[in-house]
Amino acid sequence: MAARAAALLAAALLLVALCAARRADAAVGVNWGTVSSHRTPPAVVVDLMRANRIGKVKLFDADPGVLRALAASGIQVMVGLTNGELASVAGSQAAADNWVAQNVSRYVGRGGVDIRYIAVGNEPFLTSYQGQFQSYIIPAMTNIQQSLVKANLASYVKLVVPCNADAYQSASVPSQGVFRTELTQIMTQMAAFLSSSGAPFVVNIYPFLSLYQNSDFPQDYAFFEGSTHPLVDGPNVYYNAFDGNFDTLVSALGKIGYGNLPIAIGEIGWPTEGAPSANLTAARAFNQGLINRITSNKGTPLRPGVPPADVYLFSLLDEEQKSVLPGNFERHWGIFSFDGQAKYPLNLGLGNSVLKNAKEVPYLPSRWCVANPARNLDSVSDHMKLACSMADCTTLYYGGSCYGIGEKGNVSYAFNSYYQQQKQDPKSCDFDGLGMITYLDPSMGDCRFLVGVDDSKSSAVASCGSGYCGVCCGLWVLAFWVFMYLRMMDSA
């Protein structure tokens, strides 16, 4: 009986692999963040990804609702152990066992979520953290790995550590790339761990930030159409910042003895507003150029013909509750708006020539809060401060899509943002009589006055669908249950 089950498992896994192969070549996935008060139901987001043939998703935590929605979807998942959880997991094997049981085994066992990676922390070596998380990484990885071994998942679920590109540096050219001095030892240990388990080094690369933070940075060097300011490094010439940054990491890895370690891009993208260089045209040019570059399998000068192991675009959706400390653009990285509507045409290289919008989004009723035209607005400033301290008003500033709509327009936008965040509670549109509810859409030009999402109608399970994904999802579920049967036979 066990032999027949093993044969069935092998056949099912082969069919799953054949199904996945049709979209695995591009290796383009997305980051799905949820720092938003307008959270589109997870099931709708999963259906959005599947409609766009997105086969890989990177999460920043292990949200139960999100993971339940990903069950049987055919989407490969990276779950996140947050920086705040590192100390506990690093200091206790029992805590690691519990984390894996609650956030990995539980979903593989009950829902068939295809969890491939666990991200141990998120950019834990950032310079701004001043070493706060550094000592936890290797112990946390060791304990989580032991937990995966106990759960019989270690051969399937791999551990990675998403690193910011500030972990390495170069005096001038990529070939001189080295890790920061204080990180050399831990990076060597981490690279050894990744190499032994067959996992990639995950790095986040942001040419946009290089352009935003440095007025002397050549703008065309941030994109992929060639540059009038190429970087010459011996026999190698770099025409874009991505290749230069990537090969700086390759050089740094080579100097600690792991020059052939696979590299995956954990985050990369371009925001659509919130800064002079953040707009729809630039975002489309960068992301399409990146995708074309990756899917061409061209590689980089130090790794010709070898594209990154995976590339996760940042990000899938806008997150209007993110901190604006780095800049207003932080809330506008999505290729889709918060409600899953495509911002611009983009070919992900996954089979669709353009992005498809989310369907069946449970919007709140079509009504808005605006400035009352019958009232004097001289005393409105405190009300605007309140609204914008709670809701998102970043689009009103320079570089935003609502910049320049006038004083009354600004007030109305701020009032409405707060009103929608409060789920259209009538009291939230009072503002001492300065606000009023309207059923006429006050949007003007490119400035969209949003209508919020009714997240009380959230459904936890995405539809399995039909055709390609339906068949593959069914095969995945079949393979999973045969796998569970063999585990039971082994322990009997």
Side-chain angles (χ1 to χ4, degrees), residues 336-368:
F336 294 93
S337 54
F338 74 95
D339 52 353
Q341 306 307 298
K343 295 185 187 178
Y344 48 85
L346 187 66
N347 185 342
L348 295 173
L350 301 171
N352 295 340
S353 59
V354 294
L355 297 176
K356 294 185 177 181
N357 293 330
K359 297 180 178 179
E360 300 182 14
V361 179
Y363 292 106
L364 294 168
S366 296
R367 53 186 178 226
W368 299 262

mmCIF file of all heavy atoms in Angstrom, residues 336-368:
data_model
loop_
_atom_site.group_PDB
_atom_site.id
_atom_site.type_symbol
_atom_site.label_atom_id
_atom_site.label_comp_id
_atom_site.label_asym_id
_atom_site.label_seq_id
_atom_site.Cartn_x
_atom_site.Cartn_y
_atom_site.Cartn_z
ATOM 1 N N PHE A 336 -0.806 47.910 -8.330
ATOM 2 C CA PHE A 336 -2.254 48.088 -8.226
ATOM 3 C C PHE A 336 -2.536 49.065 -7.085
ATOM 4 O O PHE A 336 -1.768 49.163 -6.130
ATOM 5 C CB PHE A 336 -2.955 46.761 -7.903
ATOM 6 C CG PHE A 336 -2.882 45.726 -8.981
ATOM 7 C CD1 PHE A 336 -1.868 44.778 -8.982
ATOM 8 C CD2 PHE A 336 -3.831 45.670 -9.985
ATOM 9 C CE1 PHE A 336 -1.789 43.804 -9.966
ATOM 10 C CE2 PHE A 336 -3.766 44.712 -10.980
ATOM 11 C CZ PHE A 336 -2.747 43.775 -10.976
ATOM 12 N N SER A 337 -3.646 49.786 -7.176
ATOM 13 C CA SER A 337 -4.103 50.603 -6.054
ATOM 14 C C SER A 337 -4.585 49.677 -4.938
ATOM 15 O O SER A 337 -4.628 48.457 -5.099
ATOM 16 C CB SER A 337 -5.224 51.541 -6.515
ATOM 17 O OG SER A 337 -6.257 50.811 -7.142
ATOM 18 N N PHE A 338 -4.952 50.251 -3.802
ATOM 19 C CA PHE A 338 -5.318 49.444 -2.633
ATOM 20 C C PHE A 338 -6.434 48.451 -2.924
ATOM 21 O O PHE A 338 -6.529 47.402 -2.292
ATOM 22 C CB PHE A 338 -5.744 50.369 -1.481
ATOM 23 C CG PHE A 338 -7.112 50.987 -1.675
ATOM 24 C CD1 PHE A 338 -8.238 50.414 -1.132
ATOM 25 C CD2 PHE A 338 -7.261 52.147 -2.433
ATOM 26 C CE1 PHE A 338 -9.494 50.985 -1.321
ATOM 27 C CE2 PHE A 338 -8.508 52.716 -2.634
ATOM 28 C CZ PHE A 338 -9.634 52.141 -2.077
ATOM 29 N N ASP A 339 -7.275 48.771 -3.906
ATOM 30 C CA ASP A 339 -8.433 47.939 -4.215
ATOM 31 C C ASP A 339 -8.209 47.044 -5.434
ATOM 32 O O ASP A 339 -9.168 46.528 -6.018
ATOM 33 C CB ASP A 339 -9.676 48.807 -4.429
ATOM 34 C CG ASP A 339 -9.447 49.920 -5.452
ATOM 35 O OD1 ASP A 339 -8.294 50.099 -5.900
ATOM 36 O OD2 ASP A 339 -10.418 50.615 -5.792
ATOM 37 N N GLY A 340 -6.941 46.866 -5.813
ATOM 38 C CA GLY A 340 -6.636 45.917 -6.877
ATOM 39 C C GLY A 340 -6.907 46.410 -8.286
ATOM 40 O O GLY A 340 -7.075 45.598 -9.200
ATOM 41 N N GLN A 341 -6.918 47.724 -8.484
ATOM 42 C CA GLN A 341 -7.119 48.286 -9.826
ATOM 43 C C GLN A 341 -5.760 48.685 -10.399
ATOM 44 O O GLN A 341 -4.993 49.408 -9.756
ATOM 45 C CB GLN A 341 -8.055 49.483 -9.772
ATOM 46 C CG GLN A 341 -9.391 49.189 -9.095
ATOM 47 C CD GLN A 341 -10.112 47.975 -9.673
ATOM 48 O OE1 GLN A 341 -10.467 47.967 -10.854
ATOM 49 N NE2 GLN A 341 -10.332 46.951 -8.854
ATOM 50 N N ALA A 342 -5.448 48.192 -11.597
ATOM 51 C CA ALA A 342 -4.136 48.433 -12.202
ATOM 52 C C ALA A 342 -3.906 49.929 -12.398
ATOM 53 O O ALA A 342 -4.784 50.652 -12.870
ATOM 54 C CB ALA A 342 -4.038 47.707 -13.534
ATOM 55 N N LYS A 343 -2.705 50.384 -12.056
ATOM 56 C CA LYS A 343 -2.385 51.799 -12.197
ATOM 57 C C LYS A 343 -1.903 52.139 -13.598
ATOM 58 O O LYS A 343 -2.050 53.274 -14.057
ATOM 59 C CB LYS A 343 -1.296 52.189 -11.197
ATOM 60 C CG LYS A 343 -1.689 52.099 -9.740
ATOM 61 C CD LYS A 343 -0.512 52.644 -8.928
ATOM 62 C CE LYS A 343 -0.688 52.472 -7.463
ATOM 63 N NZ LYS A 343 0.480 52.975 -6.723
ATOM 64 N N TYR A 344 -1.283 51.173 -14.257
ATOM 65 C CA TYR A 344 -0.726 51.420 -15.587
ATOM 66 C C TYR A 344 -0.561 50.088 -16.298
ATOM 67 O O TYR A 344 -0.536 49.031 -15.667
ATOM 68 C CB TYR A 344 0.627 52.142 -15.490
ATOM 69 C CG TYR A 344 1.600 51.530 -14.498
ATOM 70 C CD1 TYR A 344 2.430 50.462 -14.848
ATOM 71 C CD2 TYR A 344 1.691 52.019 -13.199
ATOM 72 C CE1 TYR A 344 3.311 49.909 -13.941
ATOM 73 C CE2 TYR A 344 2.571 51.471 -12.273
ATOM 74 C CZ TYR A 344 3.380 50.416 -12.659
ATOM 75 O OH TYR A 344 4.256 49.857 -11.744
ATOM 76 N N PRO A 345 -0.466 50.100 -17.633
ATOM 77 C CA PRO A 345 -0.281 48.840 -18.364
ATOM 78 C C PRO A 345 1.080 48.222 -18.022
ATOM 79 O O PRO A 345 2.096 48.928 -17.981
ATOM 80 C CB PRO A 345 -0.338 49.268 -19.835
ATOM 81 C CG PRO A 345 -0.999 50.605 -19.828
ATOM 82 C CD PRO A 345 -0.610 51.249 -18.539
ATOM 83 N N LEU A 346 1.098 46.924 -17.768
ATOM 84 C CA LEU A 346 2.341 46.234 -17.439
ATOM 85 C C LEU A 346 2.231 44.774 -17.857
ATOM 86 O O LEU A 346 1.262 44.099 -17.522
ATOM 87 C CB LEU A 346 2.619 46.333 -15.938
ATOM 88 C CG LEU A 346 3.971 45.808 -15.444
ATOM 89 C CD1 LEU A 346 5.114 46.664 -15.995
ATOM 90 C CD2 LEU A 346 4.012 45.778 -13.921
ATOM 91 N N ASN A 347 3.220 44.312 -18.598
ATOM 92 C CA ASN A 347 3.291 42.900 -18.999
ATOM 93 C C ASN A 347 4.265 42.206 -18.062
ATOM 94 O O ASN A 347 5.470 42.436 -18.120
ATOM 95 C CB ASN A 347 3.756 42.788 -20.453
ATOM 96 C CG ASN A 347 3.742 41.354 -20.958
ATOM 97 O OD1 ASN A 347 3.702 40.395 -20.171
ATOM 98 N ND2 ASN A 347 3.769 41.186 -22.271
ATOM 99 N N LEU A 348 3.751 41.368 -17.190
ATOM 100 C CA LEU A 348 4.588 40.694 -16.206
ATOM 101 C C LEU A 348 5.409 39.549 -16.799
ATOM 102 O O LEU A 348 6.212 38.931 -16.098
ATOM 103 C CB LEU A 348 3.719 40.150 -15.061
ATOM 104 C CG LEU A 348 3.006 41.190 -14.187
ATOM 105 C CD1 LEU A 348 2.058 40.506 -13.214
ATOM 106 C CD2 LEU A 348 4.007 42.051 -13.450
ATOM 107 N N GLY A 349 5.190 39.279 -18.072
ATOM 108 C CA GLY A 349 5.908 38.173 -18.696
ATOM 109 C C GLY A 349 5.389 36.819 -18.278
ATOM 110 O O GLY A 349 6.086 35.807 -18.388
ATOM 111 N N LEU A 350 4.145 36.781 -17.804
ATOM 112 C CA LEU A 350 3.569 35.539 -17.279
ATOM 113 C C LEU A 350 2.393 35.040 -18.116
ATOM 114 O O LEU A 350 1.683 34.131 -17.704
ATOM 115 C CB LEU A 350 3.120 35.753 -15.829
ATOM 116 C CG LEU A 350 4.223 36.182 -14.852
ATOM 117 C CD1 LEU A 350 3.617 36.570 -13.507
ATOM 118 C CD2 LEU A 350 5.242 35.075 -14.677
ATOM 119 N N GLY A 351 2.175 35.654 -19.278
ATOM 120 C CA GLY A 351 1.116 35.170 -20.160
ATOM 121 C C GLY A 351 0.046 36.188 -20.490
ATOM 122 O O GLY A 351 -0.673 36.034 -21.477
ATOM 123 N N ASN A 352 -0.089 37.245 -19.671
ATOM 124 C CA ASN A 352 -1.047 38.314 -19.960
ATOM 125 C C ASN A 352 -0.291 39.541 -20.455
ATOM 126 O O ASN A 352 0.720 39.930 -19.871
ATOM 127 C CB ASN A 352 -1.844 38.694 -18.705
ATOM 128 C CG ASN A 352 -2.739 37.564 -18.213
ATOM 129 O OD1 ASN A 352 -3.055 36.643 -18.961
ATOM 130 N ND2 ASN A 352 -3.144 37.632 -16.963
ATOM 131 N N SER A 353 -0.793 40.175 -21.495
ATOM 132 C CA SER A 353 -0.092 41.337 -22.044
ATOM 133 C C SER A 353 -0.278 42.588 -21.198
ATOM 134 O O SER A 353 0.527 43.514 -21.248
ATOM 135 C CB SER A 353 -0.566 41.607 -23.479
ATOM 136 O OG SER A 353 -1.965 41.850 -23.502
ATOM 137 N N VAL A 354 -1.360 42.638 -20.421
ATOM 138 C CA VAL A 354 -1.618 43.760 -19.521
ATOM 139 C C VAL A 354 -2.134 43.210 -18.192
ATOM 140 O O VAL A 354 -2.521 42.042 -18.093
ATOM 141 C CB VAL A 354 -2.654 44.760 -20.099
ATOM 142 C CG1 VAL A 354 -2.114 45.449 -21.337
ATOM 143 C CG2 VAL A 354 -3.974 44.051 -20.415
ATOM 144 N N LEU A 355 -2.146 44.067 -17.178
ATOM 145 C CA LEU A 355 -2.660 43.658 -15.875
ATOM 146 C C LEU A 355 -4.187 43.582 -15.894
ATOM 147 O O LEU A 355 -4.856 44.392 -16.534
ATOM 148 C CB LEU A 355 -2.221 44.660 -14.801
ATOM 149 C CG LEU A 355 -0.721 44.789 -14.552
ATOM 150 C CD1 LEU A 355 -0.454 45.901 -13.533
ATOM 151 C CD2 LEU A 355 -0.122 43.468 -14.086
ATOM 152 N N LYS A 356 -4.712 42.615 -15.174
ATOM 153 C CA LYS A 356 -6.158 42.488 -15.015
ATOM 154 C C LYS A 356 -6.558 43.009 -13.645
ATOM 155 O O LYS A 356 -5.871 42.765 -12.651
ATOM 156 C CB LYS A 356 -6.583 41.028 -15.175
ATOM 157 C CG LYS A 356 -6.370 40.475 -16.581
ATOM 158 C CD LYS A 356 -6.933 39.066 -16.703
ATOM 159 C CE LYS A 356 -6.794 38.533 -18.130
ATOM 160 N NZ LYS A 356 -7.367 37.166 -18.261
ATOM 161 N N ASN A 357 -7.668 43.715 -13.577
ATOM 162 C CA ASN A 357 -8.134 44.309 -12.329
ATOM 163 C C ASN A 357 -8.804 43.279 -11.422
ATOM 164 O O ASN A 357 -9.296 42.244 -11.883
ATOM 165 C CB ASN A 357 -9.128 45.436 -12.607
ATOM 166 C CG ASN A 357 -8.481 46.620 -13.278
ATOM 167 O OD1 ASN A 357 -7.303 46.897 -13.082
ATOM 168 N ND2 ASN A 357 -9.258 47.343 -14.083
ATOM 169 N N ALA A 358 -8.832 43.605 -10.123
ATOM 170 C CA ALA A 358 -9.555 42.763 -9.167
ATOM 171 C C ALA A 358 -11.046 42.831 -9.448
ATOM 172 O O ALA A 358 -11.576 43.860 -9.874
ATOM 173 C CB ALA A 358 -9.261 43.223 -7.744
ATOM 174 N N LYS A 359 -11.716 41.728 -9.193
ATOM 175 C CA LYS A 359 -13.168 41.651 -9.384
ATOM 176 C C LYS A 359 -13.840 41.422 -8.030
ATOM 177 O O LYS A 359 -13.243 40.917 -7.091
ATOM 178 C CB LYS A 359 -13.523 40.529 -10.353
ATOM 179 C CG LYS A 359 -12.963 40.732 -11.762
ATOM 180 C CD LYS A 359 -13.365 39.574 -12.674
ATOM 181 C CE LYS A 359 -12.848 39.794 -14.095
ATOM 182 N NZ LYS A 359 -13.211 38.674 -14.997
ATOM 183 N N GLU A 360 -15.107 41.793 -7.973
ATOM 184 C CA GLU A 360 -15.938 41.578 -6.789
ATOM 185 C C GLU A 360 -15.338 42.205 -5.534
ATOM 186 O O GLU A 360 -15.339 41.609 -4.449
ATOM 187 C CB GLU A 360 -16.204 40.081 -6.589
ATOM 188 C CG GLU A 360 -16.921 39.436 -7.762
ATOM 189 C CD GLU A 360 -17.215 37.965 -7.545
ATOM 190 O OE1 GLU A 360 -17.101 37.503 -6.393
ATOM 191 O OE2 GLU A 360 -17.557 37.286 -8.519
ATOM 192 N N VAL A 361 -14.794 43.406 -5.683
ATOM 193 C CA VAL A 361 -14.277 44.140 -4.529
ATOM 194 C C VAL A 361 -15.470 44.679 -3.732
ATOM 195 O O VAL A 361 -16.337 45.361 -4.298
ATOM 196 C CB VAL A 361 -13.379 45.313 -4.978
ATOM 197 C CG1 VAL A 361 -12.861 46.084 -3.767
ATOM 198 C CG2 VAL A 361 -12.222 44.796 -5.821
ATOM 199 N N PRO A 362 -15.560 44.391 -2.447
ATOM 200 C CA PRO A 362 -16.732 44.828 -1.658
ATOM 201 C C PRO A 362 -16.599 46.284 -1.191
ATOM 202 O O PRO A 362 -16.303 46.569 -0.025
ATOM 203 C CB PRO A 362 -16.721 43.859 -0.472
ATOM 204 C CG PRO A 362 -15.269 43.534 -0.274
ATOM 205 C CD PRO A 362 -14.660 43.527 -1.654
ATOM 206 N N TYR A 363 -16.835 47.197 -2.104
ATOM 207 C CA TYR A 363 -16.733 48.612 -1.765
ATOM 208 C C TYR A 363 -17.842 49.027 -0.796
ATOM 209 O O TYR A 363 -18.936 48.441 -0.773
ATOM 210 C CB TYR A 363 -16.843 49.474 -3.024
ATOM 211 C CG TYR A 363 -15.681 49.364 -3.973
ATOM 212 C CD1 TYR A 363 -15.813 48.669 -5.171
ATOM 213 C CD2 TYR A 363 -14.459 49.959 -3.674
ATOM 214 C CE1 TYR A 363 -14.746 48.579 -6.062
ATOM 215 C CE2 TYR A 363 -13.387 49.874 -4.553
ATOM 216 C CZ TYR A 363 -13.537 49.171 -5.738
ATOM 217 O OH TYR A 363 -12.479 49.080 -6.608
ATOM 218 N N LEU A 364 -17.550 50.057 -0.034
ATOM 219 C CA LEU A 364 -18.594 50.724 0.729
ATOM 220 C C LEU A 364 -19.510 51.456 -0.258
ATOM 221 O O LEU A 364 -19.173 51.594 -1.439
ATOM 222 C CB LEU A 364 -17.957 51.711 1.704
ATOM 223 C CG LEU A 364 -17.106 51.096 2.832
ATOM 224 C CD1 LEU A 364 -16.308 52.180 3.551
ATOM 225 C CD2 LEU A 364 -17.981 50.335 3.810
ATOM 226 N N PRO A 365 -20.670 51.935 0.192
ATOM 227 C CA PRO A 365 -21.578 52.645 -0.727
ATOM 228 C C PRO A 365 -20.900 53.845 -1.396
ATOM 229 O O PRO A 365 -19.959 54.439 -0.852
ATOM 230 C CB PRO A 365 -22.719 53.096 0.188
ATOM 231 C CG PRO A 365 -22.713 52.107 1.305
ATOM 232 C CD PRO A 365 -21.270 51.759 1.530
ATOM 233 N N SER A 366 -21.387 54.215 -2.561
ATOM 234 C CA SER A 366 -20.814 55.323 -3.334
ATOM 235 C C SER A 366 -21.243 56.663 -2.734
ATOM 236 O O SER A 366 -22.197 57.311 -3.198
ATOM 237 C CB SER A 366 -21.241 55.230 -4.799
ATOM 238 O OG SER A 366 -20.723 54.067 -5.395
ATOM 239 N N ARG A 367 -20.521 57.056 -1.702
ATOM 240 C CA ARG A 367 -20.763 58.362 -1.102
ATOM 241 C C ARG A 367 -19.447 58.888 -0.535
ATOM 242 O O ARG A 367 -18.557 58.121 -0.199
ATOM 243 C CB ARG A 367 -21.848 58.302 -0.031
ATOM 244 C CG ARG A 367 -21.649 57.275 1.057
ATOM 245 C CD ARG A 367 -22.884 57.227 1.969
ATOM 246 N NE ARG A 367 -22.751 56.211 2.999
ATOM 247 C CZ ARG A 367 -23.708 55.342 3.321
ATOM 248 N NH1 ARG A 367 -24.863 55.356 2.687
ATOM 249 N NH2 ARG A 367 -23.513 54.452 4.276
ATOM 250 N N TRP A 368 -19.357 60.208 -0.456
ATOM 251 C CA TRP A 368 -18.111 60.861 -0.096
ATOM 252 C C TRP A 368 -18.378 61.965 0.913
ATOM 253 O O TRP A 368 -19.504 62.465 1.038
ATOM 254 C CB TRP A 368 -17.460 61.472 -1.344
ATOM 255 C CG TRP A 368 -17.098 60.482 -2.403
ATOM 256 C CD1 TRP A 368 -15.874 59.924 -2.623
ATOM 257 C CD2 TRP A 368 -17.958 59.927 -3.409
ATOM 258 N NE1 TRP A 368 -15.902 59.061 -3.696
ATOM 259 C CE2 TRP A 368 -17.178 59.036 -4.203
ATOM 260 C CE3 TRP A 368 -19.308 60.074 -3.724
ATOM 261 C CZ2 TRP A 368 -17.705 58.324 -5.278
ATOM 262 C CZ3 TRP A 368 -19.841 59.366 -4.790
ATOM 263 C CH2 TRP A 368 -19.039 58.498 -5.549
#
